[in-house]
Amino acid sequence: MRAVVRALLYAFFYLIFWPFFFTKKFGNKDYKIDGKTIIIANHFSDFDPFFIYKLYGFKNKIVFVADNRVKKNIFTRIFCWAFNCVYVNEGAEQNFATVKKCIDVINQGKVLMIFPEGVINPSKQCFFDFSKSFCFLARKTGAKVLPLFIDPNMGLFTKTYIYIGDVFTSEQIASFKDDLVASINVQAKVFDYFGYVSEYKENKKSKKKE
């Protein structure tokens, strides 16, 4: 039932908004998810999950981690139900139930998708600090971490830029001093991808002016 609703929602949404969903990929463009995987990405817009789903959702079962507050709105609640969300109670000191669900999801062979900034960052100028939770989950489950940078551009017939980064193995994550240091290093990589895409955009603008 959920899969049918998800397919219908995606088809309906894409049918209406397809002129806004063109993408250009950089980096590890042909990467195919294999084995236990946690995808992490910056969070600049409400549409980021749809770009993730467009990239990997048709060949993999993706479970998104979402703020519990999205359930207050009936429309986002339906979308989150259809797209297999695990909920985090923002402000709670501990989220043991959520952590257990995430570990179960990964161990079941599904892909866990986390926006470690925790909230949308509409400024698109920098990142909020990444939560270290994805590093803890990678160590506990042996999952790989696939970092992405998404630069959403929701203009008509314009392209959203997505940089697909190099995978961090669970061994690499565990090699850092602690989960905080690991998350800082992963965030630094995503920031590098941000810089690459920004440079590409600037060069593109310069060529147009010539």
Side-chain angles (χ1 to χ4, degrees):
M1 176 65 178
R2 192 187 302 244
V4 173
V5 174
R6 180 167 61 249
L8 289 173
L9 282 173
Y10 186 87
F12 177 75
F13 191 86
Y14 194 74
L15 183 65
I16 295 175
F17 295 106
W18 68 267
F20 299 91
F21 275 81
F22 289 93
T23 57
K24 180 176 178 60
K25 296 187 288 185
F26 301 91
N28 203 358
K29 295 186 286 187
D30 298 321
Y31 180 76
K32 292 179 174 58
I33 291 175
D34 180 29
K36 296 178 179 180
T37 302
I38 301 168
I39 300 175
I40 65 101
N42 62 297
H43 202 6
F44 283 172
S45 86
D46 287 315
F47 295 97
D48 295 337
F50 292 95
F51 291 112
I52 300 293
Y53 195 83
K54 184 182 177 184
L55 271 179
Y56 296 116
F58 295 105
K59 293 185 178 180
N60 305 276
K61 292 182 178 179
I62 298 182
V63 175
F64 292 84
V65 177
D67 188 329
N68 192 54
R69 289 172 291 186
V70 300
K71 292 194 288 186
K72 293 179 180 179
N73 182 297
I74 185 63
F75 296 108
T76 54
R77 185 170 189 155
I78 292 171
F79 268 99
C80 287
W81 172 82
F83 283 85
N84 295 313
C85 285
V86 172
Y87 297 103
V88 174
N89 292 311
E90 281 299 319
E93 291 187 9
Q94 304 291 343
N95 276 283
F96 293 119
T98 301
V99 171
K100 185 180 183 305
K101 286 182 182 177
C102 289
I103 290 174
D104 289 343
V105 163
I106 296 167
N107 287 333
Q108 289 166 9
K110 299 174 184 176
V111 176
L112 189 69
M113 172 65 221
I114 298 176
F115 294 105
E117 290 175 280
V119 294
I120 294 173
N121 183 358
S123 74
K124 301 183 181 181
Q125 300 299 315
C126 59
F127 301 152
F128 297 132
D129 290 339
F130 280 17
S131 165
K132 61 184 179 179
S133 58
F134 69 91
C135 296
F136 171 82
L137 293 169
R139 283 194 302 102
K140 287 295 182 182
T141 62
K144 298 184 285 287
V145 174
L146 175 62
L148 307 178
F149 170 70
I150 305 172
D151 184 23
N153 189 342
M154 301 312 295
L156 190 66
F157 297 113
T158 57
K159 291 181 179 179
T160 284
Y161 299 125
I162 302 175
Y163 195 110
I164 302 169
D166 295 321
V167 167
F168 284 80
T169 65
S170 58
E171 291 80 12
Q172 287 175 303
I173 294 294
S175 70
F176 293 105
K177 179 182 176 182
D178 53 34
D179 291 339
L180 177 60
V181 174
S183 68
I184 290 171
N185 277 270
V186 175
Q187 181 169 0
K189 275 290 184 182
V190 179
F191 198 79
D192 288 343
Y193 307 151
F194 182 13
Y196 180 95
V197 171
S198 297
E199 185 176 351
Y200 173 85
K201 289 164 65 177
E202 287 300 317
N203 290 338
K204 191 175 179 181
K205 285 181 183 177
S206 299
K207 287 180 182 179
K208 283 184 177 180
K209 292 178 181 179
E210 291 177 357

